[in-house]
Amino acid sequence: MTQHDMAPTKWQSFLDDARSQVSQDSTLEVRGTLTRLTGLVLEASGIRVPVGSQCVVTMKARPSVLAEVVGFSGDKAFLMPAGDVHGLSSGAGVAPAAAYVPVPRLGAAALPPDLAAAGMLRLPLGDGLLGRVVDSQGNPMDRMGPLAEVVSKPLDRKPINAMDRAPVRESLDTGVRAINALLTVGRGQRLGLFAGSGVGKSVLLGMMARYTQADVIVVGLIGERGREVKEFIEDILGADGRARSVVVAAPADAPPLLRMQGASYATAIAEYFRDKGQHVLLLMDSLTRYAMAQREIALAIGEPPATKGYPPSCFAKLPQLVERSGNGLHGVGSITAFYTVLSEGDDQQDPIADAARAILDGHIVLSRSLAEAGHYPAIDVEQSASRVMHNVVSREHFELARRFRSLYSRYEKGRDLVQIGAYARGSDPMLDEAIALQPGMHQFLQQDMFEAASLEAAWQDMAASTSLTQVGA
């Protein structure tokens, strides 16, 4: 073979080796430039990364800022910052963020950075989260050191096929008498707590966190007051509850991106434990703040508002989040979820409340008038419903709950006539019965926050409160 014939062979071999190295371990870094900052949105050019990718905005003499790609237009990428943008200027560098790598255990070799995962949102999941308080990015907030026994996993998950989910057939004891008796919850059910501000949503969540039968409790405090984080942990969960709980906190002063990410992260943690075959209680306060965060992001990048200022993407994001909870594959593990929903001005037709009611498996409405009268928990029995109750309780229990509701509703409708003395006894036998039973029924619906009521005890108390024999005795 001549030297002239060997040249193409060597050149081809060189190209093959170069292609192999590039495909297996590329260290080329794609960088862009910050060109515009308007309101909450950063605009970058020269970088092409998919929507949902994490990027780092760097500039000399100031800390870097993490941002997520939320949209694009032509060769411009729109990013939503997860931190303070004060001090940034045009020309700052924008590059994909490195993947999260957990701190190695003592004696274990450190894992090299995963270049293929650069830009993908990956956060810590694992048993090491139990008993910990973390923020939306998986950073510990409890000053108990770095997380151990966790793995780095992406938050995006493939939805479970509806035909692979086990139906809700098993009742769940929440420890709240009115819910156990009249709004019985099934394991794997998703319910909403609907109310305005200051009527006892957080207290009711705390009662369920303390008394519900669950292996793991995941609490997502999304967009609520920062004061509530420590109070919820110390005053409501306590030492025993905290040992089996994970708290994800994204308070009201967090950027909208972190508030949305906090809700997704709390759900991902619940999914992790469910996939291990455990029964999880997911408490999220609140679903409305999640929707408001999405509204801020969508309006900032130019999406038109639709209903009361909420763009269409808000109503698309809600079911994507809620549908991740529920029973696991083929009945292995479950996530029973309670989402608080703020009703602006106590309006039950608020667009977010109306949308949430349609996608959840039940709704518990808290009444301001009951709360103002000192009636706690302030559950409005007439407006509340559990859509799976008939599948998880006996026929006797279901019929007794119907009787209780009927008597309670009949008294409420005739209350004004009774109070002004315009009702003549004997005119309506059912109302006569409701008047006689009313004191016991109202006492049955009230419960101290440090008192637990089991399913069996709640059923027996409901039977006693609707029995004239018991009243006469």
Side-chain angles (χ1 to χ4, degrees):
M1 182 180 293
T2 65
Q3 185 175 1
H4 182 269
D5 294 331
M6 294 176 61
T9 303
K10 290 183 177 180
W11 179 245
Q12 188 64 43
S13 176
F14 172 78
L15 288 177
D16 291 341
D17 291 342
R19 289 192 186 98
S20 177
Q21 291 180 7
V22 168
S23 62
Q24 293 179 3
D25 186 19
S26 175
T27 57
L28 295 177
E29 184 182 32
V30 180
R31 292 184 64 86
T33 304
L34 185 66
T35 58
R36 186 179 180 186
L37 193 161
T38 305
L40 300 173
V41 180
L42 306 177
E43 188 175 304
S45 62
I47 182 170
R48 294 193 177 183
V49 288
V51 172
S53 298
Q54 305 291 299
C55 293
V56 176
V57 184
T58 56
M59 192 171 176
K60 291 182 179 180
R62 80 168 313 280
S64 59
V65 177
L66 186 67
E68 181 176 312
V69 180
V70 295
F72 59 86
S73 177
D75 60 348
K76 303 287 186 182
F78 301 133
L79 301 95
M80 186 64 60
D84 187 12
V85 297
H86 182 74
L88 287 180
S89 65
S90 178
V94 181
Y100 172 85
V101 178
V103 177
R105 300 176 63 182
L106 186 63
L111 296 175
D114 187 357
L115 297 176
M120 294 175 57
L121 182 58
R122 300 172 70 92
L123 294 178
L125 298 175
D127 293 342
L129 289 169
L130 290 173
R132 303 301 301 269
V133 183
V134 296
D135 64 12
S136 301
Q137 298 172 303
N139 301 314
M141 300 177 63
D142 48 17
R143 303 188 185 280
M144 295 173 59
L147 299 175
E149 297 182 16
V150 293
V151 292
S152 173
K153 298 223 173 187
L155 290 192
D156 292 334
R157 292 172 54 93
K158 186 178 180 180
I160 298 178
N161 187 326
M163 294 301 294
D164 292 334
R165 286 185 185 271
V168 179
R169 292 288 185 267
E170 182 183 353
S171 60
L172 179 66
D173 187 355
T174 63
V176 181
R177 186 185 301 113
I179 296 177
N180 280 346
L182 300 169
L183 306 164
T184 311
V185 177
R187 195 177 292 279
Q189 187 177 357
R190 292 82 55 93
L191 291 101
L193 295 179
F194 292 74
S197 56
V199 294
K201 295 188 304 300
S202 298
V203 174
L204 185 56
L205 278 183
M207 292 177 66
M208 289 186 287
R210 189 184 296 112
Y211 304 127
T212 300
Q213 296 176 349
D215 300 320
V216 176
I217 301 171
V218 180
V219 182
L221 301 177
I222 311 301
E224 296 300 316
R225 296 178 290 271
R227 169 185 62 83
E228 292 184 340
V229 178
K230 193 169 185 178
E231 289 183 359
F232 192 94
I233 295 168
E234 295 183 354
D235 301 340
I236 295 177
L237 285 180
D240 294 337
R242 184 174 179 180
R244 60 180 180 133
S245 301
V246 183
V247 179
V248 179
D253 59 346
L257 177 66
L258 293 186
R259 278 178 266 149
M260 288 195 65
Q261 189 172 303
S264 298
Y265 187 29
T267 307
I269 294 172
E271 289 173 321
Y272 170 84
F273 288 107
R274 177 188 64 187
D275 294 345
K276 291 180 61 179
Q278 295 179 295
H279 297 298
V280 183
L281 175 66
L282 173 62
L283 306 175
M284 191 168 295
D285 188 11
S286 70
L287 194 64
T288 305
R289 303 299 187 197
Y290 172 82
M292 288 180 174
Q294 171 60 20
R295 177 175 64 177
E296 291 179 45
I297 294 174
L299 294 178
I301 63 176
E303 187 177 347
T307 307
K308 286 192 176 181
Y310 287 97
S313 61
C314 287
F315 303 102
K317 287 282 187 181
L318 289 177
Q320 291 176 7
L321 179 71
V322 169
E323 284 295 324
R324 292 169 61 182
S325 56
N327 286 327
L329 283 170
H330 310 294
V332 178
S334 67
I335 300 175
T336 306
F338 288 88
Y339 302 92
T340 65
V341 181
L342 291 171
S343 304
E344 295 184 5
D346 295 323
D347 179 15
Q348 294 302 318
Q349 304 307 316
D350 177 80
I352 297 300
D354 197 44
R357 191 182 296 108
I359 60 178
L360 293 170
D361 302 325
H363 50 277
I364 300 172
V365 179
L366 303 185
S367 167
R368 186 172 298 278
S369 60
L370 289 175
E372 291 172 348
H375 184 292
Y376 288 102
I379 298 175
D380 190 329
V381 174
E382 294 181 287
Q383 295 191 54
S384 304
S386 172
R387 296 181 183 176
V388 304
M389 180 176 176
H390 62 284
N391 290 330
V392 298
V393 298
S394 65
R395 184 174 181 82
E396 293 78 12
H397 185 155
F398 189 73
E399 291 300 327
L400 187 60
R402 287 183 61 182
R403 169 175 163 78
F404 187 103
R405 283 174 171 273
S406 179
L407 290 169
Y408 184 88
S409 178
R410 188 67 190 89
Y411 177 81
E412 291 299 315
K413 289 178 180 177
R415 176 197 290 270
D416 293 341
L417 291 176
V418 174
Q419 290 181 340
I420 65 175
Y423 173 71
R425 185 178 179 83
S427 302
D428 185 341
M430 187 174 182
L431 181 55
D432 291 340
E433 185 180 9
I435 293 172
L437 295 173
Q438 183 268 336
M441 295 173 71
H442 276 261
Q443 183 178 0
F444 167 80
L445 293 174
Q446 298 184 62
Q447 181 178 344
D448 186 82
M449 66 177 295
F450 298 106
E451 171 194 356
S454 66
L455 268 168
E456 181 63 26
W459 188 89
Q460 294 175 355
D461 291 343
M462 179 172 61
S465 68
T466 55
S467 172
L468 287 174
T469 304
Q470 294 289 339
V471 173

